[in-house]
């Protein structure tokens, strides 16, 4: 019963990691970039917006002039290379493309782990809670999510001198830590549950078998429950 509660707790932690991972992906605040003309903008994985102060100043100028188009957020995609002041465009392109790919892979892995857990609870013929691979598959998927998030986040170890990490990046770091925690809880649960199975079998040989000239009887032995 305690093992089932630990499994449910690990899946809940992974669900929180999935939520944070998606919030980090779709908020336009991964990094805060300073531009050559002094303006600032916040850049996310899929959107880019002017910073708060610059956005208000631009809106005020548009209102005064009565012409022009109000500056709004714009979508980003694969291959976008919106670099800040004194940043290499190729480096920025690699960082964001790598993080997009890792973010998507982590989302798929965490979602698949949740679905496998739900299918096990439904007691379908092909997958049950007693299946040997059920909990191991969930742990492997959560560990995969943690691993790919680490790879994506490591690419941001070096950024421009006028660029700063923003809260979306820190949300994804929290998602990575939660995915690691969920995988560690499941791995500990699997290993702890099978400790007894790693001990050698206990075999008790009957006294009749100890005598070479005595007629042999059936083996009397007791094995471990595993």
């Amino acid at each position: 019963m305690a093992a089932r509660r630990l499994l449910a707790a690990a899946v809940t932690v992974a669900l929180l990691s999935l939520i944070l991972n998606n919030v980090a992906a779709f908020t336009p605040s991964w990094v805060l970039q300073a531009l050559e003309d002094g303006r600032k903008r916040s850049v996310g994985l899929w959107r880019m917006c002017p910073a708060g102060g610059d956005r208000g100043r631009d809106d005020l100028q548009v209102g005064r002039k009565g012409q022009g188009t109000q500056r709004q957020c714009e979508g980003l995609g694969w291959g976008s290379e919106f670099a800040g002041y004194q940043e290499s465009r190729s480096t920025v392109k690699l960082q964001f493309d790598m993080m997009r790919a890792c973010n998507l892979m982590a989302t798929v892995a965490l979602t698949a782990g949740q679905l496998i857990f739900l299918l096990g609870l439904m007691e379908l013929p092909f997958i049950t809670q007693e299946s040997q691979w059920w909990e191991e598959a969930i742990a492997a998927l959560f560990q995969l999510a943690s691993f790919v998030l680490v790879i994506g986040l490591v690419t941001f170890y070096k950024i421009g001198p006028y660029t700063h990490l923003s809260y979306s990046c820190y949300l994804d770091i929290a998602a990575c830590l939660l995915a690691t925690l969920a995988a560690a809880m499941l791995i500990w649960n699997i290993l702890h549950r099978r400790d007894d199975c790693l001990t050698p079998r206990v075999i008790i040989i009957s006294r009749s078998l100890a005598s070479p000239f005595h007629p042999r009887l059936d083996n009397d032995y007791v094995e471990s429950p595993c």
Side-chain angles (χ1 to χ4, degrees):
M1 196 64 181
R4 288 289 178 260
R5 285 198 296 266
L6 185 61
L7 172 61
V11 172
T12 303
V13 172
L15 178 60
L16 181 58
S17 173
L18 177 62
I19 294 173
L20 291 179
N21 187 52
N22 282 276
V23 171
F26 293 104
T27 49
S29 299
W30 195 271
V31 295
L32 183 64
Q33 293 177 339
L35 305 180
E36 289 81 354
D37 55 4
R39 293 180 296 110
K40 294 184 178 180
R41 66 185 177 190
S42 56
V43 182
L45 298 183
W46 302 104
R47 284 196 305 162
M48 177 181 65
C49 299
D54 294 327
R55 184 187 308 174
R57 186 165 54 251
D58 291 338
D59 295 344
L60 182 61
Q61 291 176 355
V62 170
R64 287 178 177 176
K65 294 180 180 179
Q67 58 183 4
T69 303
Q70 182 178 354
R71 300 190 56 179
Q72 297 178 348
C73 299
E74 57 180 289
L76 302 178
W78 301 97
S80 300
E81 51 181 20
F82 290 96
Y85 184 48
Q86 294 188 5
E87 275 192 301
S88 170
R89 290 185 177 273
S90 60
T91 301
V92 172
K93 178 180 177 180
L94 173 64
Q95 288 174 330
F96 279 93
D97 281 349
M98 179 69 74
M99 194 64 240
R100 289 185 189 103
C102 292
N103 186 277
L104 290 174
M105 291 176 62
T107 299
V108 171
L110 291 171
T111 304
Q114 301 287 331
L115 291 177
I116 292 176
F117 174 74
L118 293 177
L119 291 175
L121 294 181
M122 296 171 63
E123 295 291 343
L124 298 177
F126 57 91
I127 175 173
T128 63
Q129 298 183 35
E130 304 303 326
S131 301
Q132 183 177 2
W133 59 272
W134 180 60
E135 192 171 348
E136 296 176 355
I138 299 174
L141 287 169
F142 291 168
Q143 186 61 43
L144 174 63
S146 170
F147 181 69
V148 295
L149 285 178
V150 169
I151 292 177
L153 290 168
V154 164
T155 60
F156 283 89
Y157 79 97
K158 184 178 180 180
I159 56 179
Y162 297 94
T163 299
H164 307 282
L165 297 178
S166 191
Y167 69 88
S168 295
C169 182
Y170 297 117
L171 283 178
D172 219 39
I173 293 174
C176 178
L177 294 176
L178 289 175
T180 304
L181 176 61
M185 292 169 66
L186 289 178
I187 293 173
W188 183 90
N189 194 31
I190 294 170
L191 296 178
H192 182 72
R193 188 182 60 194
R194 297 184 178 181
D195 277 345
D196 295 336
C197 300
L198 298 178
T199 58
R201 292 182 176 181
V202 179
I203 301 177
I204 302 175
I205 304 176
S206 63
R207 293 182 178 180
S208 59
L209 296 177
S211 175
F213 302 102
H214 195 279
R216 292 195 173 188
L217 303 176
D218 292 338
N219 288 356
D220 298 328
Y221 63 91
V222 177
E223 295 186 355
S224 64
C226 300

